[in-house]
Amino acid sequence: MKILVTGAAGFIGFHLVQALVKNGLEVVGIDNINDYYDVNLKYARLALSGIELKQKASTPQTELAYHESTKYKNYRFLRLDITNFKLLEELFQNENFDGVVNLAAQAGVRYSIKNPHAYVQSNVVGFLNILECCRSEKTKHLIYASSSSVYGDRSKVPFSENEKVDSPVSLYAATKKSNELMAHSYSHLFNIKTTGLRFFTVYGPWGRPDMAPMLFAHAISNQKPVKIFNNGDMLRDFTFIDDVVEGIVKLVSDKKEEEDEDSRANIFNIGNSKPVKLMDFISGLENEMDQEAIKVFLPMQDGDVKVTYSDSSKLKQAIGYAPSTTLKTGLTEFVSWYSSFYSK
């Protein structure tokens, strides 16, 4: 079974590649390695997968250039942007993928307010390119990253896939909602099996520096102020990376054929279903780091929401998804990696 993972140098993509190759699947990973955040973290993730890249390409790519993993014989990587339709199409034609996990996207709610064009280009145009390649090469299954942000700022919890999500409060959320609509239309028109995953605040080792756990850890370790928005009155459904990856691996390995149109285009929440008070999360970090945070309380930011809370029962019914990592265990593993990586 051959799987394409886009965003393979990213947080979730890196962990997913590791899990898939260890399960014996043939994996091809792609990533444009953009500088939205520190590229050295992306290079370090790739290096841990046996992919050694010296520096970011300074000129646009004109041909496919594979890098063989020195660690996994069943893993190859290419520096490739999903907005480059010509090369993406060539890759699909050459490889005949059984499945695709599309994790490549311009991430970040706040960044989308100041850089809207980057989101439309990557999250809409790039996603269309993925869909078109899956259509033309008859890919059996497309799994793609959506986001809990599509639910907007709602008071009814937990969030269920049966709820309407027509009121996004950020452009990032709007692009993810558009992905779900686009995938549904391609499933309907071309009989492509698509699965959208609404991720809920994924955290853990090798996490993104722009997300709250890393921002908090950086601030605490460097004795800088921790910015706490909405005066700390927030709930987040923190979901450990291992639980998320286990769910995706099960979906990738699920060979069940979908007979009817409604089941060909699925959307699942993938969260811990145990929301945590933001102040409790920070307190847990303080305990693990054995250091007190300098707290600065601020009003709610534009595009942010007060609560995220996943109802993941639909995914449990489909594949037996059952997150098992406690917050204490997750924070211990995260801080252990953080201390090791940033002490170098």
Side-chain angles (χ1 to χ4, degrees):
M1 194 175 188
K2 187 189 294 186
I3 303 297
L4 172 67
V5 177
T6 75
F11 172 35
I12 299 176
F14 155 71
H15 283 280
L16 178 62
V17 165
Q18 300 269 323
L20 291 175
V21 295
K22 289 174 183 177
N23 277 324
L25 280 69
E26 182 180 354
V27 179
V28 176
I30 65 173
D31 200 296
N32 67 354
I33 317 183
N34 68 27
D35 59 1
Y36 168 62
Y37 61 81
D38 183 9
V39 295
N40 291 314
L41 182 59
K42 300 179 183 183
Y43 290 136
R45 292 177 185 139
L46 288 171
L48 202 61
S49 301
I51 304 295
E52 297 290 344
L53 296 181
K54 293 184 179 180
Q55 61 183 8
K56 183 173 181 178
S58 58
T59 57
Q61 296 150 275
T62 57
E63 60 183 19
L64 299 177
Y66 289 89
H67 299 269
E68 304 281 343
S69 171
T70 58
K71 185 175 182 180
Y72 304 113
K73 63 181 181 180
N74 50 336
Y75 180 44
R76 292 172 292 151
F77 176 82
L78 304 91
R79 194 196 308 267
L80 179 61
D81 196 316
I82 60 172
T83 64
N84 188 334
F85 181 69
K86 181 180 178 181
L87 286 186
L88 191 68
E89 184 179 42
E90 183 181 338
L91 177 68
F92 270 75
Q93 290 170 349
N94 290 351
E95 297 293 342
N96 190 28
F97 297 114
D98 296 295
V100 174
V101 183
N102 182 53
L103 301 172
Q106 179 57 61
V109 169
R110 296 172 193 119
Y111 189 72
S112 69
I113 297 173
K114 295 181 179 180
N115 301 273
H117 293 93
Y119 286 78
V120 173
Q121 192 65 19
S122 180
N123 300 6
V124 179
V125 175
F127 188 66
L128 176 62
N129 290 345
I130 292 288
L131 286 169
E132 271 294 288
C133 289
C134 287
R135 176 193 64 79
S136 62
E137 298 307 311
K138 297 180 172 53
T139 305
K140 295 173 184 175
H141 190 188
L142 167 63
I143 299 169
Y144 63 94
S146 185
S147 168
S148 62
S149 64
V150 300
Y151 288 106
D153 194 10
R154 59 180 60 217
S155 57
K156 184 179 178 181
V157 293
F159 299 166
S160 167
E161 299 93 340
N162 297 324
E163 300 285 336
K164 287 187 176 181
V165 286
D166 297 329
S167 303
V169 296
S170 70
L171 179 65
Y172 171 70
T175 63
K176 289 301 182 179
K177 169 64 175 175
S178 75
N179 287 173
E180 296 179 358
L181 295 172
M182 294 162 73
H184 187 277
S185 67
Y186 269 69
S187 289
H188 170 74
L189 291 169
F190 308 115
N191 297 328
I192 302 172
K193 182 179 178 181
T194 64
T195 302
L197 295 175
R198 293 173 177 170
F199 292 111
F200 280 73
T201 319
V202 186
Y203 76 102
W206 299 97
R208 284 198 347 245
D210 64 314
M211 294 189 70
M214 287 278 278
L215 291 172
F216 295 158
H218 275 313
I220 292 171
S221 64
N222 291 292
Q223 295 184 307
K224 301 290 185 181
V226 173
K227 296 179 181 179
I228 303 172
F229 296 98
N230 202 39
N231 297 305
D233 184 17
M234 302 177 88
L235 285 169
R236 285 292 179 270
D237 198 350
F238 289 102
T239 311
F240 193 64
I241 183 63
D242 290 1
D243 293 327
V244 167
V245 167
E246 183 180 355
I248 302 174
V249 170
K250 286 183 177 180
L251 285 167
V252 168
S253 304
D254 185 13
K255 298 179 181 178
K256 180 169 71 260
E257 294 293 332
E258 308 297 355
E259 300 296 333
D260 60 282
E261 181 179 322
D262 288 339
S263 60
R264 275 200 300 271
N266 258 313
I267 304 250
F268 294 110
N269 289 336
I270 183 163
N272 198 42
S273 301
K274 295 177 181 176
V276 175
K277 292 179 181 179
L278 188 61
M279 296 308 298
D280 289 345
F281 186 87
I282 294 172
S283 177
L285 264 181
E286 290 176 312
N287 290 335
E288 291 297 327
M289 300 181 78
D290 194 25
Q291 196 167 344
E292 188 173 350
I294 303 169
K295 304 176 183 71
V296 176
F297 294 92
L298 300 167
M300 182 73 91
Q301 290 190 112
D302 290 340
D304 214 343
V305 298
K306 184 177 178 180
V307 178
T308 64
Y309 182 178
S310 169
D311 175 356
S312 299
S313 57
K314 183 180 175 183
L315 188 57
K316 181 178 181 179
Q317 184 177 5
I319 59 167
Y321 172 73
S324 59
T325 308
T326 65
L327 182 65
K328 174 71 169 66
T329 298
L331 285 175
T332 298
E333 290 198 28
F334 167 67
V335 170
S336 175
W337 165 80
Y338 178 89
S339 301
S340 173
F341 185 79
Y342 285 99
S343 66
K344 295 177 183 177

